[in-house]
Amino acid sequence: TDRPYYYPGNTVFGKIYIRCDVPMEAKHIEIKVKGKEKAQFPEIREDKERNEEGEVIHEEEREIKEKFTKKLLEFKGVCFTFQEPLVPGDYTIPFEFNLPEGLPSSIMFKQKHMREKPSAKVKYSIKAKVTTHDDKVLKYKQWLVIQEPPVQF
């Protein structure tokens, strides 16, 4: 991609670089863009068993991991179709797409030193995939960083 980070609503411009060492019968290049949110917040629960007088006779702690996942963005499409076989050489294929408004910022949070070890992440990726006529696949994945737009005063 052309920039280290993007804001929601931006147009992403990028280039796919292909180095072909042998002739290749390529069909097309597909772009897939994904964004997802994941969180894990383990919770410690205490189970107490009481007798008829209400006194605790057995106490046990157990950890329950609460996990949440949500898709924020997912689309794919063919960005280039080859009209003839690729001969050995270097190729550059440009692409572009618009990011939707309202996307949350990228984040990676992990607190290993707490007993509960909470974690949360929002991450985005773009994958380019070249498919050949004999269904072989070449692919490359890159992370996209989304930031909150600057505050306007």
Side-chain angles (χ1 to χ4, degrees):
T1 56
D2 67 331
R3 296 182 6 206
Y5 62 88
Y6 296 90
Y7 299 125
N10 280 165
T11 300
V12 176
F13 294 95
K15 294 177 183 163
I16 300 164
Y17 297 100
I18 300 171
R19 172 161 286 162
C20 186
D21 294 329
V22 295
M24 182 176 21
E25 295 279 337
K27 281 198 274 190
H28 60 265
I29 300 176
E30 181 180 88
I31 294 289
K32 186 174 191 175
V33 181
K34 291 170 78 171
K36 64 181 165 182
E37 174 180 74
K38 281 184 166 183
Q40 177 176 301
F41 296 97
E43 185 179 323
I44 306 298
R45 294 199 182 152
E46 292 182 6
D47 290 331
K48 295 180 181 180
E49 189 178 328
R50 300 180 185 274
N51 62 16
E52 293 175 7
E53 290 82 35
E55 298 169 335
V56 176
I57 57 173
H58 179 74
E59 191 172 341
E60 185 179 325
E61 274 190 2
R62 61 189 169 105
E63 184 178 298
I64 298 173
K65 291 186 179 184
E66 300 287 342
K67 294 182 180 184
F68 306 94
T69 303
K70 179 181 177 183
K71 282 184 187 178
L72 301 170
L73 175 67
E74 186 168 20
F75 65 88
K76 67 179 177 178
V78 173
C79 73
F80 188 80
T81 303
F82 293 96
Q83 303 300 321
E84 53 191 44
L86 287 176
V87 296
D90 294 334
Y91 299 86
T92 303
I93 312 293
F95 66 88
E96 68 179 79
F97 62 90
N98 294 321
L99 290 169
E101 295 286 347
L103 289 174
S105 294
S106 302
I107 184 173
M108 295 276 242
F109 170 80
K110 194 170 209 174
Q111 188 59 274
K112 294 188 246 181
H113 304 296
M114 287 181 65
R115 179 180 174 193
E116 293 84 11
K117 297 183 178 132
S119 67
K121 57 186 164 185
V122 174
K123 57 188 200 174
Y124 301 89
S125 65
I126 179 169
K127 185 190 288 186
K129 185 167 87 170
V130 178
T131 304
T132 63
H133 285 289
D134 56 356
D135 291 326
K136 289 183 183 171
V137 174
L138 306 168
K139 54 188 170 183
Y140 180 79
K141 183 177 186 177
Q142 178 181 322
W143 298 111
L144 286 176
V145 177
I146 307 296
Q147 290 188 353
E148 289 288 321
V151 176
Q152 300 294 322
F153 292 101

